[in-house]
Amino acid sequence: MTDAVTACDLGKSYPGGVRALDGLSLTVRAGEVFGLLGPNGAGKSTTVKILTTLARPDSGTATVAGHDVLRHPDRVRRAIGVVAQRSGLDPMASGRDNLTLQGRLFGVRGRALHTRVGELLERFDLTGAAGRAVRGWSGGMQRRLDVAMALVHRPEVLFLDEPTTGLDPEVRGAMWAEIGRLATEESMAILLTTHYLDEADRLAARLAIVDGGRIVAEGTPTELKGELRGDAVHLELEKAADEPQARQAIGTVTRLREVSFDGRLLSARADDGAAAVPAALAALESAGVGVATVTVARPSLDDVYLRHAGRRFAA
Amino acid sequence: MTTFVSHTFWMTNRRLKVLVKQPAFVLILLVQPAIWLFLFGNLFRRVVELPGFGAASYLDYLIPGVVVMTAVSSNMWAGMGMLEEIERGTMNRLLTTPVARSAIMNAAVVEQALSTTVQVVAIILLGLVAGAEYPGGPAGLTVLTVAAILLGTIFSALSNTIGMLARQRETIIGINSMLLLPLTFLSSAFMAETLMPEWMRTVAAANPVNWALDAARAAMSADPEWGTVLIRGGWLLAAAVAMLLLSTRTFRAYQKSV
């Protein structure tokens, strides 16, 4: 199966000498949710604009759904759905009219179009408002319609450019659930850009951190966080007197390193904290040491960003 | 080709649906030419008495003038709609669909052509009520309408081009305020060409507004000169097609700057 998106060494400058992209490369595999994480101005939107045929790169190549974005933009357009930052709905038209026209532009027509529009309105819980002009809708409803618009022709690759920016937390949660559902039920590839760490962490199977127009780190959220010195594991012993036995027992657990004791509190680091804890507990139990509490603190994407971009993540 | 036609149709349909939801705007479209007809009709009523003017009734003479002025002044704002669509994100949404690029531009122009037609018909009827005579009959009035549509197309496509390239309302406003009156008065809209200074006549010969008037007046007279209609009409058509092609080309420039 071909990759859903490949971008190779993309470069683009805007008039005035702003270097938006500086050799950006990425690959989105078929059927995966790929997150592009970075602060505003990092080059996320420019990347999406190039991949959706809106803008032309100065250098580099890219394919989407197997089609070259520069040589066959029309084939690319047929294969993609786009939810842009600015929604682009016709405010005076009804939700149903917006959806129907979008379908027509993709060549969906007649009964199939009617059915598809009804299906999407139902699915995004917009049937009740479908006949009303979109400008009277709430922001959350408009955003759901944006996503429905992008799906009307059943695209192979879906682009979501900061889909939850500006939404209140409750609506954002609902949007996350919807995106998660799309990925599992429709098995389409999704390229998601975001400047929310938690959003990338939660939705993306793999992600890339963009900074200064290039990718500075790439991997699954877990891998990226695993690259750091590891999870922090804290064990609280039931009795401080058990320390010598505990020290001996824990020394046999190879997954833990940098072990230190402070009274009843045992601290260590592990590449994979969740896997290390059972081993540690088993060793302590066989040495007859009781454990009161266990905590594993995972490094956050913020830590990852700090390491690769050299500064804290600021959206 | 069929996609191109159907895309143009649906894109036009989209715009018309919006237009009919703004009855106040449609009303203004109709009231404005009526005001001009009334103002100019009264202000210049007696210029026909000037020796050599060559028309018996100023109202009869004025109708094509008000028609072309209306065609220019309402079409030259088309670019504002284009800008609004860019700012709202609608343009980008459309550009990531397989819609024919030319269909986006054509739809803007077709919508304008339809509202121009409505305006022209309104002016013709208003003229009838006021007592104007149309010796050229339906054929003359048809030429008047077509000339107004072609003229309007030149200016709406020009306006769309400016909108796409400059992407500023101020630029469109500036250019329009600068162009409308000179274009209208450097033509036979309100004053017979024979009474214009020599230099003005020279300029008027290159003015599309005047081509439309020449074609319309030639067809609307009791004894139509079809040769003039064809030549001037041909120039109008050529200019309209050229402007449309130019406006579609601006998508390339847009793609670079977006």
Side-chain angles (χ1 to χ4, degrees), chain A:
Chain A
M1 205 166 186
T2 52
D3 288 322
V5 178
T6 63
C8 186
D9 208 18
L10 292 176
K12 183 168 176 72
S13 297
Y14 284 111
V18 182
R19 187 100 180 114
L21 291 183
D22 188 17
L24 182 140
S25 301
L26 62 83
T27 303
V28 180
R29 297 176 196 141
E32 80 174 348
V33 180
F34 185 92
L36 213 48
L37 175 72
N40 290 330
K44 305 186 300 290
S45 284
T46 305
T47 306
V48 170
K49 281 177 182 164
I50 289 173
L51 294 175
T52 57
T53 77
L54 216 44
R56 294 174 68 88
D58 301 335
S59 59
T61 56
T63 66
V64 174
H67 309 295
D68 189 301
V69 294
L70 287 175
R71 273 182 296 170
H72 301 294
D74 264 323
R75 293 185 200 166
V76 172
R77 287 170 196 143
R78 258 169 241 289
I80 60 172
V82 185
V83 177
Q85 281 179 43
R86 276 179 303 172
S87 97
L89 297 168
D90 275 329
M92 302 286 284
S94 71
R96 188 180 298 277
D97 283 353
N98 265 295
L99 262 175
T100 306
L101 176 69
Q102 185 81 357
R104 284 203 170 103
L105 297 180
F106 281 96
V108 189
R109 60 191 68 178
R111 183 172 291 275
L113 178 60
H114 187 80
T115 314
R116 182 69 176 152
V117 167
E119 198 176 283
L120 285 168
L121 287 170
E122 195 60 41
R123 168 170 176 182
F124 287 92
D125 198 19
L126 297 168
T127 309
R132 296 208 314 266
V134 163
R135 66 172 173 173
W137 290 19
S138 72
M141 287 166 72
Q142 293 192 6
R143 211 66 188 133
R144 296 210 297 279
L145 181 59
D146 286 332
V147 179
M149 300 267 284
L151 296 176
V152 72
H153 56 295
R154 301 176 197 277
E156 290 173 54
V157 185
L158 181 65
F159 291 88
L160 300 170
D161 195 4
E162 301 193 3
T164 65
T165 300
L167 296 182
D168 60 53
E170 196 183 335
V171 180
R172 175 179 301 161
M175 187 58 79
W176 282 357
E178 188 52 51
I179 295 168
R181 209 169 62 162
L182 280 175
T184 49
E185 288 174 15
E186 310 260 332
S187 72
M188 68 176 89
I190 300 180
L191 193 155
L192 164 90
T193 77
T194 180
H195 59 227
Y196 297 120
L197 295 159
D198 50 349
E199 185 164 294
D201 208 356
R202 171 162 172 173
L203 292 173
R206 282 197 313 130
L207 62 90
I209 294 178
V210 197
D211 189 61
R214 52 168 67 234
I215 305 278
V216 293
E218 192 177 341
T220 66
T222 317
E223 276 168 14
L224 284 174
K225 287 180 285 194
E227 272 181 29
L228 293 177
R229 286 184 23 258
D231 300 340
V233 179
H234 301 286
L235 291 161
E236 197 184 350
L237 307 182
E238 278 175 351
K239 290 177 296 216
D242 285 343
E243 195 203 305
Q245 297 98 299
R247 200 182 277 275
Q248 200 174 18
I250 220 78
T252 64
V253 181
T254 52
R255 288 173 186 272
L256 291 180
R257 56 176 195 269
E258 300 170 46
V259 183
S260 64
F261 280 86
D262 180 15
R264 285 162 55 202
L265 191 65
L266 183 163
S267 299
R269 286 209 165 262
D271 291 331
D272 184 348
V277 166
L281 289 178
L284 290 171
E285 196 187 350
S286 63
V289 177
V291 176
T293 63
V294 181
T295 53
V296 178
R298 317 224 65 187
S300 67
L301 278 177
D302 197 13
D303 299 326
V304 178
Y305 186 81
L306 173 69
R307 172 170 158 182
H308 290 284
R311 57 182 184 275
R312 283 271 153 202
F313 187 89

Side-chain angles (χ1 to χ4, degrees), chain B residues 31-104:
Chain B
V31 168
Q32 191 190 39
I35 294 174
W36 286 344
L37 204 58
F38 174 78
L39 283 181
F40 290 119
N42 282 282
L43 181 64
F44 296 132
R45 183 189 298 275
R46 296 188 59 199
V47 297
V48 282
E49 292 166 21
L50 289 171
F53 192 90
S57 145
Y58 190 64
L59 183 64
D60 290 6
Y61 185 83
L62 182 63
I63 300 272
V66 170
V67 164
V68 297
M69 188 171 177
T70 303
V72 173
S73 73
S74 45
N75 280 278
M76 66 187 352
W77 298 104
M80 294 296 233
M82 205 57 82
L83 273 182
E84 199 186 312
E85 300 231 308
I86 292 175
E87 284 164 12
R88 205 197 294 136
T90 309
M91 182 63 80
N92 283 358
R93 168 167 68 81
L94 292 172
L95 290 177
T96 57
T97 73
V99 71
R101 273 44 194 159
S102 48
I104 297 177

